[in-house]
Amino acid sequence: MAEISAALVRELREKTGAGMMDCKKALIETDGNLEEAIDWLRTKGLAAAAKKAGRVAAEGLVGVMTAGNTGTIVEINAETDFVARNDKFQNFVAQATAVALEGKHTIDSLKTAAVGEHETLEAGLTHLIAVIGENMNLRRLTHLAVTNGVVSSYMHSAVVPNLGKIGVLVALESTGDTEKLAELGKKIAMHIAASAPVALQISDVAPSLLEREKNILIEQARASGRPEEIIQKMVEGRVSKFYEEIVLLEQAFVMDSKLKISQVVENTAKEIGAPIKVAGFVRYALGEGIEKEESDFAAEVQAQASGNR
């Protein structure tokens, strides 16, 4: 049996919110497999849905920029939140986002593109690292575009316009009034920032994600002792609820919970007299999926004190 360390138990507790002893038992039951332990806790009703992104660990800025029917979102990381408030870093991220949008760059081609007064983005980052004294890197970028329609953006927790911690782009395909489309796109982008959907429509949900959720729901239903045919109906109902939680078009609109996003789109289409299709969206939360090294400050101070004796 795998050794269950205190660090592993703590990590599971942070990801699920379950009790310490429940986390330890889950890890014992799953031979130390963290993902299986999360599912075990959920099956027993001891944890909420797993936090997909984990703890936000990287700092820096997300930048968004749009121009009519195109848009770009970029993330550039640094070590501390202090850098996000630095004018030089803010200007650099804004310039990099503008260059990425104009040139429709990939992440690799952007690294070699001229940004501001620097010959390449990588040269600019090297200069900033020397000036500010922190490591930095271009982590990711995404473009959205439509043939007819608009790409709208929203920045949550903006430190300056178009730069902040949670950025969203939404692409709407339509021949309708662009002002009305932009207004709708902004509202949907704000909704996405708050609700963090993982798929645009039901057919986009990864089969592996759906299968995992169904297995958990089946085990939960069987624990109730109901007949198998009742269990299947229970699971079908809960899968529908699952879609309402993670699929954008199935989610309840944050500004009017009586309407689904799909209904909000349909209502606006009737208003402007032209069909509207949500062609895509992207949501960047600063540092999502990156684990920051934890340090025990008291232990560090003690170690330094011991070394100075």
Side-chain angles (χ1 to χ4, degrees):
M1 185 176 71
E3 181 182 352
I4 309 301
S5 67
L8 191 60
V9 173
R10 182 175 69 246
E11 184 177 358
L12 180 59
R13 187 181 187 189
E14 289 173 350
K15 286 181 176 293
T16 63
M20 190 71 76
M21 295 308 296
D22 289 326
C23 288
K24 185 173 182 180
K25 184 176 180 181
L27 288 164
I28 290 172
E29 291 291 330
T30 58
D31 200 27
N33 185 298
L34 189 63
E35 290 301 312
E36 289 182 9
I38 291 172
D39 288 352
W40 188 93
L41 286 167
R42 291 187 61 202
T43 298
K44 302 297 181 183
L46 298 171
K51 298 176 182 176
K52 305 296 182 187
R55 297 190 313 278
V56 174
E59 300 296 341
L61 286 171
V62 171
V64 296
M65 194 166 291
T66 61
N69 62 347
T70 63
T72 297
I73 185 166
V74 173
E75 179 179 353
I76 298 181
N77 296 127
E79 293 181 55
T80 67
D81 184 55
F82 169 78
V83 173
R85 300 190 295 273
N86 183 288
D87 290 344
K88 291 184 174 64
F89 183 73
Q90 291 174 2
N91 291 337
F92 184 80
V93 176
Q95 289 173 343
T97 306
V99 170
L101 174 65
E102 184 178 352
K104 296 181 174 60
H105 285 284
T106 65
I107 193 165
D108 289 328
S109 67
L110 182 58
K111 289 179 180 178
T112 59
V115 174
E117 61 187 16
H118 306 287
E119 290 186 4
T120 66
L121 179 141
E122 287 186 316
L125 279 177
T126 299
H127 175 74
L128 279 178
I129 290 167
V131 171
I132 297 175
E134 284 195 15
N135 190 30
M136 302 172 196
N137 71 287
L138 170 64
R139 185 184 180 204
R140 53 182 175 164
L141 71 83
T142 301
H143 296 292
L144 285 184
V146 291
T147 303
N148 295 299
V150 300
V151 174
S152 297
S153 67
Y154 172 68
M155 179 60 67
H156 185 69
S157 300
V159 293
V160 294
N162 298 322
L163 299 178
K165 294 192 174 184
I166 299 178
V168 177
L169 293 176
V170 177
L172 299 179
E173 188 86 50
S174 178
T175 57
D177 181 81
T178 54
E179 286 190 15
K180 291 288 186 181
L181 289 172
E183 183 182 343
L184 172 64
K186 181 67 173 289
K187 289 178 180 178
I188 294 176
M190 293 173 71
H191 168 93
I192 291 169
S195 300
V198 301
L200 172 58
Q201 53 197 358
I202 290 175
S203 59
D204 293 335
V205 176
S208 58
L209 179 61
L210 178 58
E211 186 66 23
R212 177 177 175 178
E213 190 68 20
K214 278 185 175 179
N215 289 337
I216 292 170
L217 294 174
I218 288 169
E219 290 304 314
Q220 288 177 336
R222 281 178 179 159
S224 68
R226 303 284 181 87
E228 197 66 27
E229 61 272 17
I230 299 298
I231 288 174
Q232 292 305 317
K233 290 181 180 179
M234 290 172 65
V235 170
E236 286 175 12
R238 291 177 183 178
V239 166
S240 296
K241 183 67 175 176
F242 174 64
Y243 286 143
E244 290 171 6
E245 292 173 354
I246 70 164
V247 176
L248 174 61
L249 294 178
E250 302 300 315
Q251 288 181 330
F253 187 32
V254 292
M255 298 179 190
D256 185 351
S257 60
K258 295 178 182 177
L259 296 174
K260 288 185 177 182
I261 290 295
S262 59
Q263 294 171 312
V264 174
V265 174
E266 288 171 11
N267 290 346
T268 304
K270 290 176 183 176
E271 182 183 337
I272 67 175
I276 301 172
K277 176 186 176 183
V278 182
F281 75 90
V282 59
R283 178 186 186 272
Y284 278 7
L286 179 66
E288 62 189 344
I290 302 175
E291 291 290 342
K292 182 185 289 184
E293 265 186 55
E294 292 187 49
S295 60
D296 187 331
F297 182 70
E300 287 180 11
V301 172
Q302 186 176 3
Q304 289 183 8
S306 298
N308 292 330
R309 286 174 185 166

Coordinates of all heavy atoms in Angstrom, one line a residue, residues 4 7 18 110 118 126 149 155 272 283-284 291:
I4 N 0.7 7.2 2.8 CA -0.2 8.4 2.7 C 0.5 9.5 3.5 O 0.4 9.5 4.8 CB -1.6 8.0 3.3 CG1 -2.1 6.8 2.6 CG2 -2.5 9.2 3.1 CD1 -2.2 6.9 1.1
A7 N 1.2 15.7 3.6 CA 1.1 16.7 2.5 C 0.0 16.3 1.5 O -0.8 17.1 1.0 CB 2.4 16.8 1.8
A18 N -13.3 18.4 2.2 CA -13.7 17.3 3.1 C -12.8 17.3 4.4 O -11.8 17.9 4.4 CB -13.6 16.0 2.4
L110 N 4.7 34.8 -31.6 CA 4.7 36.0 -30.8 C 6.0 36.2 -30.1 O 6.5 37.3 -29.9 CB 3.5 36.0 -29.8 CG 3.3 37.2 -29.0 CD1 3.2 38.5 -29.8 CD2 2.2 37.1 -28.0
H118 N 11.4 46.7 -28.3 CA 12.3 45.5 -28.2 C 12.2 44.7 -29.6 O 11.1 44.7 -30.2 CB 11.9 44.6 -27.1 CG 11.9 45.3 -25.8 ND1 13.1 45.6 -25.1 CD2 10.9 45.7 -25.0 CE1 12.8 46.3 -24.0 NE2 11.4 46.3 -23.9
T126 N 13.2 39.5 -21.2 CA 14.6 39.5 -20.6 C 15.0 40.8 -19.9 O 15.5 40.9 -18.8 CB 15.6 39.1 -21.6 OG1 15.3 37.8 -22.1 CG2 17.0 39.0 -21.0
G149 N -20.3 39.3 -37.6 CA -20.7 39.4 -36.2 C -19.6 40.1 -35.4 O -18.9 41.0 -36.0
M155 N -13.1 42.0 -18.8 CA -12.0 41.8 -17.9 C -12.5 42.0 -16.5 O -13.0 43.1 -16.1 CB -10.9 42.8 -18.2 CG -9.7 42.6 -17.3 SD -8.9 41.0 -17.3 CE -8.2 40.9 -18.9
I272 N -33.4 41.6 -33.0 CA -32.6 42.2 -34.1 C -33.0 41.7 -35.4 O -32.6 42.2 -36.5 CB -31.1 42.1 -33.9 CG1 -30.7 40.6 -34.0 CG2 -30.6 42.7 -32.6 CD1 -29.2 40.4 -34.0
R283 N -12.0 31.6 -21.6 CA -11.9 32.3 -20.3 C -10.5 32.0 -19.7 O -10.2 30.8 -19.6 CB -13.0 31.8 -19.4 CG -13.0 32.3 -18.0 CD -14.0 31.6 -17.1 NE -14.2 32.2 -15.8 CZ -13.4 31.8 -14.7 NH1 -12.5 30.9 -14.8 NH2 -13.7 32.4 -13.5
Y284 N -9.8 33.0 -19.4 CA -8.5 32.8 -18.8 C -8.6 33.4 -17.4 O -8.9 34.5 -17.2 CB -7.4 33.6 -19.5 CG -6.8 33.0 -20.7 CD1 -7.2 31.8 -21.3 CD2 -5.7 33.6 -21.3 CE1 -6.7 31.3 -22.4 CE2 -5.1 33.1 -22.5 CZ -5.6 31.9 -23.0 OH -5.0 31.4 -24.1
E291 N 0.5 25.2 -9.8 CA 0.7 25.1 -8.3 C 1.9 25.9 -7.9 O 3.0 25.7 -8.4 CB 0.8 23.6 -7.9 CG -0.4 22.8 -8.1 CD -1.5 23.1 -7.1 OE1 -1.3 23.8 -6.1 OE2 -2.7 22.8 -7.4

